[in-house]
Amino acid sequence: MKSRDSLIRLKRFHVEERRRRLAQIEAMIGEFARMAADLDREIALEEQRAGISDPSHFAYPTYARAARSRRDNLLRSSGELRDQLEEAKAHLDEALADLNKITSLEGREKASERGHEPPDHGAVIADFDLRAARA
């Protein structure tokens, strides 16, 4: 019984760990998207200020070129995180399935233990006395 309880606690810990990891990845994707949008605005402002929007132009602003590179790296990293997010969701589903399997086994075992409890002899005798008193 004790080992089963510790196994359930372990499985619950794994589920919570997977949920935390999932939330962390989702937060990072959101943060990267926000940072990429900020860089897009800065790039547009710099291009507008310089009057040059073609990155291959020789006078294209260095800051805009660096910000463009940074934005592209963020978008690439965000794509990789999306792949990790799908993997983390699969791991969470597996952990939930394991937890559900263990808890359902425990529930069935507890139910069978209740069904196989030795009869309460005091209750049987009291029931017999009631029947005898009625007759």
Side-chain angles (χ1 to χ4, degrees):
M1 191 69 165
K2 220 177 219 187
S3 65
R4 189 178 313 121
D5 290 341
S6 63
L7 180 63
I8 290 173
R9 277 197 313 272
L10 177 66
K11 295 297 181 182
R12 284 186 181 142
F13 174 77
H14 285 299
V15 167
E16 290 306 314
E17 179 183 347
R18 300 289 187 321
R19 282 186 180 144
R20 279 191 298 272
R21 177 74 176 137
L22 199 64
Q24 183 182 34
I25 292 171
E26 288 172 341
M28 288 171 63
I29 290 171
E31 183 68 17
F32 284 5
R34 185 192 60 74
M35 291 168 64
D38 289 346
L39 286 171
D40 277 336
R41 281 192 296 279
E42 290 181 23
I43 291 167
L45 285 172
E46 188 66 21
E47 288 174 348
Q48 183 182 11
R49 187 185 64 73
I52 301 170
S53 60
D54 180 17
S56 62
H57 191 276
F58 73 93
Y60 189 75
T62 306
Y63 175 73
R65 189 179 315 270
R68 202 175 268 277
S69 174
R70 172 105 170 102
R71 184 206 54 206
D72 292 344
N73 285 340
L74 283 170
L75 293 176
R76 189 173 27 261
S77 295
S78 181
E80 291 170 3
L81 283 173
R82 281 183 175 53
D83 294 340
Q84 288 181 18
L85 181 67
E86 292 305 315
E87 188 177 318
K89 284 180 182 179
H91 287 298
L92 175 61
D93 290 341
E94 289 173 13
L96 283 170
D98 286 347
L99 177 62
N100 288 336
K101 184 171 67 173
I102 296 296
T103 54
S104 68
L105 283 174
E106 180 191 29
R108 276 189 257 149
E109 287 178 6
K110 282 186 178 179
S112 68
E113 286 174 4
R114 279 188 228 125
H116 289 86
E117 289 179 1
D120 183 7
H121 293 294
V124 172
I125 293 171
D127 187 42
F128 180 76
D129 288 341
L130 282 175
R131 285 188 203 156
R134 288 185 188 153

